[in-house]
Amino acid sequence: MLITLFVSIATVGQFLVTAPSVQTRNTIEGRVTSSSGRPLSEMRIMLKNGSYSEIASGLTDGSGRFRFLNLASGNYYIEVEPGATEYERQTARIAAIPFIERGGHGEIFRIDIVLVPRRSSTTLFGTINNANAVIFHQDVPEVAKKEFEQGIKNLDKGSFDNAARSLKRAIELFPDYYDALERLGTEYVAHDDAKSALPLLAHAVEINKDGWRAFYSLGIAQYKVNHQAESVTALHRAVALNPDSPNANMWLGMVLATDPEMRSAAIQSLEKASKIAKDPLPGQAYYYLGGLYIKNNQYKEAADAFETLLRVSPDIGERVKIKQMIAQLRQKAKEQNQK
């Protein structure tokens, strides 16, 4: 009898053994335009770390695009220096922190920055903590901003409890503070506290309907509290905002996989995630994909998926059983081709 290992996402965590962590390398890319959508070339772009120290710089190309490669996970600032032009200098913050690392290969984090004409008075621009979205403006009270910055510093130090207290105070001082809502909600998801994350992230996406990471985190939180339909909606929105995110496509595929009527869509999302990533996805993606292929009578593809699972998860349990299943799938595929 063919062995089937298709189970829930919760069971995947018990089945897989986490491999040793590898330093993730991320990409931050984007585009600089005017408010009318005109690309702005030859604009100096400075990449700064969480301490606001410059670590790289460059110029936008003829299409207004820029890219910084091989970045460790963390908080960064993108500063656009327009020079002697008609535009204001602008700074945006972006958290290049993927939920799931793929063998040392991280996410592509995208940000589009719209420059505004110079004004005589100084304008306080809001910051951004999402990918592939036009910079989100908020006039944040200084006291709330200081609490938020302290929260980020505490996160950088690995002190989640202190960070949560600071981020909560920032939200109390400014209840519509998108960055604080999104970041605290995302951290709760990462710490497996979906119930605490839900109200924060739901409010965040109400404030900024183009916030990729807020929708992404919200979708995962909703899944973890068994809000299946809402999870699919949020993850679809995350993928629409950042279609090049392997992890967003992967999570969408894994959540869709729990609905038998969405099998084809689940396969499509997981295959897209694998194609985008170029490097192997985490093992659970191939675990799900293999199970979907079995249910779809695609035995060769299922065997390939489970072989990839063994390759990318060297510490996985039940290796002998999985190898036996692969052999059965190969035989099934051979019989299928002979018909």
Side-chain angles (χ1 to χ4, degrees), residues 2-252:
L2 186 65
I3 301 172
T4 302
L5 293 174
F6 187 59
V7 293
S8 69
I9 290 178
T11 308
V12 172
Q14 300 170 5
F15 184 78
L16 293 173
V17 178
T18 303
S21 61
V22 181
Q23 178 61 64
T24 302
R25 313 310 296 178
N26 301 291
T27 296
I28 294 177
E29 65 181 22
R31 191 165 180 253
V32 180
T33 64
S34 68
S35 57
S36 65
R38 180 170 62 87
L40 300 176
S41 61
E42 300 297 314
M43 293 287 176
R44 184 164 185 253
I45 305 291
M46 292 168 282
L47 177 68
K48 300 185 177 183
N49 61 21
S51 301
Y52 216 68
S53 298
E54 184 175 331
I55 56 176
S57 64
L59 298 174
T60 57
D61 64 15
S63 298
R65 300 186 183 280
F66 62 89
R67 174 179 291 184
F68 296 104
L69 304 172
N70 298 321
L71 302 175
S73 297
N75 297 295
Y76 293 92
Y77 293 89
I78 301 292
E79 185 170 313
V80 184
E81 174 52 68
T85 69
E86 64 194 272
Y87 300 104
E88 292 271 10
R89 174 187 297 162
Q90 193 145 300
T91 300
R93 185 182 65 82
I94 185 165
I97 305 173
F99 273 122
I100 303 175
E101 298 184 1
R102 307 183 319 281
H105 298 274
E107 285 279 359
I108 297 173
F109 292 87
R110 297 169 60 186
I111 175 172
D112 294 337
I113 300 177
V114 179
L115 297 189
V116 298
R118 293 184 186 275
R119 288 182 277 186
S120 56
S121 58
T122 301
T123 300
L124 176 63
F125 290 105
T127 56
I128 192 164
N129 191 19
N130 57 68
N132 197 31
V134 175
I135 187 169
F136 180 67
H137 298 269
Q138 281 190 306
D139 290 326
V140 181
E142 193 63 30
V143 288
K145 187 177 180 182
K146 287 182 179 178
E147 289 289 354
F148 174 80
E149 291 173 347
Q150 183 59 51
I152 297 302
K153 289 178 181 178
N154 286 330
L155 286 174
D156 290 340
K157 295 176 182 177
S159 178
F160 172 69
D161 290 339
N162 288 333
R165 281 192 287 271
S166 293
L167 293 172
K168 287 177 182 178
R169 284 196 292 268
I171 295 168
E172 289 171 357
L173 291 164
F174 184 36
D176 290 340
Y177 197 165
Y178 173 78
D179 270 3
L181 290 162
E182 181 275 317
R183 188 57 190 274
L184 182 57
T186 295
E187 290 296 328
Y188 275 134
V189 173
H191 285 79
D192 204 25
D193 187 357
K195 288 185 178 180
S196 296
L198 278 175
L200 298 166
L201 295 167
H203 189 35
V205 299
E206 288 176 354
I207 295 167
N208 180 8
K209 298 187 184 301
D210 292 325
W212 168 80
R213 193 169 179 82
F215 278 103
Y216 177 39
S217 302
L218 178 62
I220 296 173
Q222 288 169 329
Y223 177 81
K224 290 187 175 182
V225 296
N226 297 316
H227 293 177
Q228 189 82 2
E230 294 89 339
S231 172
V232 170
T233 299
L235 289 169
H236 267 302
R237 180 61 177 160
V239 169
L241 289 166
N242 191 9
D244 293 331
S245 168
N247 290 344
N249 282 281
M250 182 184 73
W251 263 98
L252 176 59

Side-chain angles (χ1 to χ4, degrees), residues 5 15 310 316-326:
L5 293 174
F15 184 78
L310 292 178
I316 195 171
E318 304 289 344
R319 293 186 70 87
V320 173
K321 289 184 179 180
I322 296 174
K323 288 181 179 180
Q324 291 173 348
M325 181 183 62
I326 291 170

Side-chain angles (χ1 to χ4, degrees), residues 290-303:
L292 288 164
Y293 282 140
I294 289 174
K295 291 180 178 293
N296 224 29
N297 297 325
Q298 295 176 257
Y299 301 121
K300 177 187 180 300
E301 291 82 355

